[in-house]
Amino acid sequence: MLDVGLTGGIGSGKSTVAAALRELGAQVIDADVVAREVVEPGRPTLAAIAERFGAHLVRPDGSLDRPALAAIVFPDPAALADLDRITGPAITARVRELRAALDVQAVSVYDMPLLVERRLWPHEHLSVVVGADVETRVRRLVDQRGLDEADARHRIARQATDEERRAAADVWVDNDGTVEATRDQVRALWFDRLVPFNANLLTGNRSRLQRGVVVDPDPAWPAQAARLSARVADALGDRAVRVEHIGSTSVPDLPAKDAIDLQVGVRTLTDADAPGFVAHLTQRGLVRVPAITADSPLPRDADPNGWRKRFYGSSDPGRVANVHVRELGSPGWVFALQFRDWLRADPGARQRYASLKRALAAGAPSADEYTEAKEPWFADAYPRVVDWAQRTGWTDHVGPTAR
């Protein structure tokens, strides 16, 4: 089952996108509906709210006086945080129950206004954000919901910024235009990405580039890698000691195949072979490739044990990605980081590598053959990378697991 998180700021038109996805066949779970359900009369969550904020919030019929609660918590960030601590676990548990009851072949959409603010998006296979210009949102809130303009702007200001939402968005649905234009975007998203992504999850297939095509640097690559890193770190917890963005897409101004490479550091590959490790990555849409168990040792006469790894590919057709699992501190782990940092630091080396990549891509009929064609260059570059690392005092200095 594909899990999609849907969010957007107040007045962005998220409900329009949710309705369009529902019409296409998605199973939509509305966080606002669930939030009301968990505070129904007799629920433990309602009792906890009454204990924290006052018994007067429970009406004679046993229901929650929501306007009175809102008047208490919205002006007071500490009170709002307390309410989140009370209701959050109950909402999460209920959403998990609802999703577990769905058909396993469904596309599950969690319509959650605070997906970004509460950093829930790493739990989803994809995060879809509905965006609209602030002035458009203000106008909608005034015209459609009857808010006064000052109140509308105040509510918008209290939510996540567009910059924060874009950082979390795998897909940005622009809802500044007509309803039909928005629905067209949703239909394209559904048929081009969500349906094939779900099919890959159900069949255990990974997405791959068909040819070794090298493209110009994409400024979106670092953010895409950061989102995938966050999902991998969230899935593995302390099973992963480190998660790093490596490969050509991690080097600014370097042409590359349009595929993100991550490196996951583990204490031993025995940890990576544990059923729980494999299952957690599989559940997040990363497919293990059993045939790939090592890199070519460098130098060529090096002990191959230092170059062992495990390899996964993403099922997402909209973002081809590779995950290399290596032992922390192994020669393979160290070289991946040194090579990245050498290219970042040396414009000449970066230019030579870019020229080679374009030349090889032009004659490589497949992505695999393109990768194989680069092996001699890596062997020649290895001593230069090691020499650079020694001369510059390079150290593997990055901190704990990326989250």
Side-chain angles (χ1 to χ4, degrees):
M1 178 191 297
L2 180 68
D3 290 337
V4 178
L6 173 65
T7 194
I10 185 171
S12 64
K14 179 172 57 65
S15 59
T16 299
V17 174
L21 287 168
R22 186 180 287 109
E23 290 173 12
L24 288 165
Q27 301 295 305
V28 179
I29 297 172
D30 189 328
D32 289 337
V33 173
V34 175
R36 286 178 170 79
E37 180 182 337
V38 300
V39 294
E40 288 177 348
R43 295 292 183 103
T45 310
L46 178 58
I49 290 173
E51 182 177 353
R52 166 61 181 84
F53 297 104
H56 67 283
L57 293 176
V58 180
R59 293 177 172 131
D61 64 359
S63 66
L64 175 64
D65 187 340
R66 299 177 68 87
L69 177 62
I72 294 172
V73 300
F74 284 118
D76 183 350
L80 185 59
D82 285 347
L83 179 63
D84 286 343
R85 279 190 287 271
I86 293 170
T87 60
I91 293 171
T92 299
R94 181 55 180 155
V95 170
R96 190 178 296 117
E97 289 176 2
L98 292 171
R99 278 183 155 167
L102 296 177
D103 187 322
V104 294
Q105 298 189 46
V107 173
S108 168
V109 174
Y110 183 28
D111 179 352
M112 172 55 166
L114 301 179
L115 198 76
V116 174
E117 288 87 342
R118 294 181 179 173
R119 196 174 166 76
L120 298 175
W121 60 266
H123 306 331
E124 308 293 321
H125 291 112
L126 280 179
S127 51
V128 177
V129 177
V130 185
D133 180 77
V134 169
E135 296 307 316
T136 300
R137 295 166 60 192
V138 169
R139 187 175 65 252
R140 287 172 181 165
L141 293 173
V142 171
D143 295 345
Q144 299 173 15
R145 301 196 191 181
L147 299 182
D148 66 66
E149 183 175 333
D151 187 20
R153 293 186 184 280
H154 178 70
R155 294 192 186 200
I156 289 172
R158 289 179 63 86
Q159 294 186 324
T161 65
D162 275 357
E163 181 180 23
E164 291 168 330
R165 290 196 180 94
R166 285 189 182 277
D170 298 295
V171 178
W172 184 273
V173 177
D174 184 352
N175 195 26
D176 270 319
T178 66
V179 172
E180 191 54 37
T182 298
R183 291 171 67 88
D184 285 345
Q185 292 177 68
V186 175
R187 281 191 288 268
L189 168 63
W190 179 260
F191 290 109
D192 295 344
R193 192 165 187 178
L194 301 188
V195 170
F197 194 169
N198 193 44
N200 284 344
L201 286 175
L202 295 173
T203 56
N205 288 323
R206 64 182 173 120
S207 297
R208 303 184 64 185
L209 297 175
Q210 296 305 307
R211 295 188 66 249
V213 177
V214 171
V215 300
D216 290 335
D218 186 342
W221 282 337
Q224 291 169 350
R227 286 191 293 274
L228 184 58
S229 296
R231 289 188 170 104
V232 169
D234 181 73
L236 294 176
D238 61 6
R239 295 177 177 88
V241 182
R242 290 261 295 279
V243 183
E244 297 275 355
H245 183 198
I246 60 168
S248 294
T249 59
S250 70
V251 180
D253 304 321
L254 182 64
K257 291 186 301 179
D258 190 16
I260 300 295
D261 284 273
L262 298 185
Q263 175 168 258
V264 175
V266 293
R267 296 172 183 84
T268 71
L269 284 181
T270 301
D271 294 341
D273 291 332
F277 187 101
V278 177
H280 279 79
L281 287 184
T282 300
Q283 290 164 3
R284 296 302 176 93
L286 295 166
V287 179
R288 183 172 178 177
V289 183
I292 300 178
T293 59
D295 296 303
S296 298
L298 293 173
R300 291 187 176 93
D301 60 353
D303 182 355
N305 285 326
W307 297 83
R308 295 180 303 142
K309 70 177 182 181
R310 301 294 180 260
F311 182 81
Y312 292 77
S314 172
S315 297
D316 181 3
R319 169 36 55 217
V320 176
N322 307 310
V323 176
H324 310 258
V325 183
R326 299 183 174 108
E327 290 187 355
L328 201 70
S330 68
W333 164 273
V334 171
F335 181 67
L337 298 179
Q338 286 181 340
F339 183 71
R340 177 197 67 188
D341 294 349
W342 174 60
L343 290 176
R344 287 176 173 177
D346 189 329
R350 189 165 62 245
Q351 181 57 47
R352 289 190 295 274
Y353 187 40
S355 298
L356 171 82
K357 288 159 71 71
R358 291 198 184 280
L360 293 178
S366 73
D368 287 342
E369 287 171 291
Y370 163 81
T371 301
E372 291 172 9
K374 291 192 299 180
E375 288 296 327
W377 191 87
F378 277 105
D380 291 339
Y382 178 77
R384 298 198 297 275
V385 174
V386 172
D387 177 67
W388 169 83
Q390 292 173 343
R391 284 188 292 104
T392 60
W394 180 92
T395 57
D396 180 9
H397 57 79
V398 181
T401 304
R403 291 190 182 280

